[in-house]
Amino acid sequence: MLFRSEEWLARRLPEFGGLAITGLEAPASGGVANETLLIETTCANGPGPGLVVRPEGEPWLYPGVTLDLHHEMYVGVHAAGTVPTPAILVFEDDPSVLGQRFLLMERMPGQAAPDRPNFNEAGWLRDLPAAERETVWREAVGAMAALHAIEASRFPLLCSRAAGKPGVRAAIDY
């Protein structure tokens, strides 16, 4: 898949004016549920935003989960404002643009923990000094706690899957 439509970007993100793609990268690790593409841009006034494309993945890992649900989850978590989450800029439902539906989101600063090989086997996180690893883990646990404190009512698609059943029971049945 190649993201090559600067015309599409200019139409969908006119607020940046003259958006041009200057770099495209598929990270070596990450994106287990779906592919990830990182885009660097410029605009008429200088550097443009860093963007991320997340195409709809194959349902092998999460059967029955659609891009609609991914979109709802990102938007709901971002709107809660308690967990660092990128803003969704575009939910492209037309598969003719890239060959499948996709999300276009802002690129957040930071470094993702690798999943191939797993972050506890190799990579930057495993190689950190113990005190820095502890900081990363404490922040991760804090983010997970904040995520779990978000009201489920922000996620109607997720709630509709569990209609009439308690949360854990519905998840196990699903």
Side-chain angles (χ1 to χ4, degrees):
M1 178 177 65
L2 177 62
F3 195 82
R4 61 189 180 278
S5 179
E6 289 181 342
E7 297 82 21
W8 179 89
L9 275 174
R11 275 195 319 274
R12 295 304 299 261
L13 301 174
E15 63 271 23
F16 292 106
L19 206 55
I21 298 171
T22 57
L24 177 67
E25 174 190 4
S29 183
V32 171
N34 43 358
E35 186 178 3
T36 301
L37 296 173
L38 307 175
I39 300 174
E40 296 299 324
T41 67
T42 59
C43 57
N45 299 339
L51 303 172
V52 176
V53 174
R54 298 291 308 262
E56 188 161 37
E58 296 296 321
W60 65 272
L61 184 58
Y62 303 111
V65 174
T66 66
L67 194 63
D68 304 274
L69 182 58
H70 282 232
H71 177 250
E72 179 179 278
M73 299 299 287
Y74 272 112
V75 169
V77 172
H78 185 75
T82 56
V83 179
T85 312
I88 301 295
L89 303 172
V90 177
F91 173 17
E92 182 54 70
D93 202 32
D94 180 358
S96 71
V97 176
L98 293 181
Q100 61 206 71
R101 302 178 330 150
F102 63 93
L103 300 176
L104 180 69
M105 59 186 78
E106 70 178 343
R107 184 173 178 180
M108 295 185 67
Q111 193 171 11
D115 55 23
R116 290 176 301 239
N118 194 288
F119 61 86
N120 61 344
E121 295 175 15
W124 70 268
L125 185 56
R126 181 171 182 249
D127 296 340
L128 283 177
E132 291 179 47
R133 271 197 320 272
E134 180 180 346
T135 299
V136 170
W137 285 114
R138 286 185 185 280
E139 289 178 7
V141 170
M144 285 193 298
L147 181 64
H148 285 86
I150 297 172
E151 288 294 322
S153 61
R154 288 187 181 269
F155 312 105
L157 287 175
L158 190 61
C159 291
S160 69
R161 294 170 180 262
K165 296 181 181 180
V168 173
R169 178 78 261 159
I172 290 171
D173 288 351
Y174 171 69

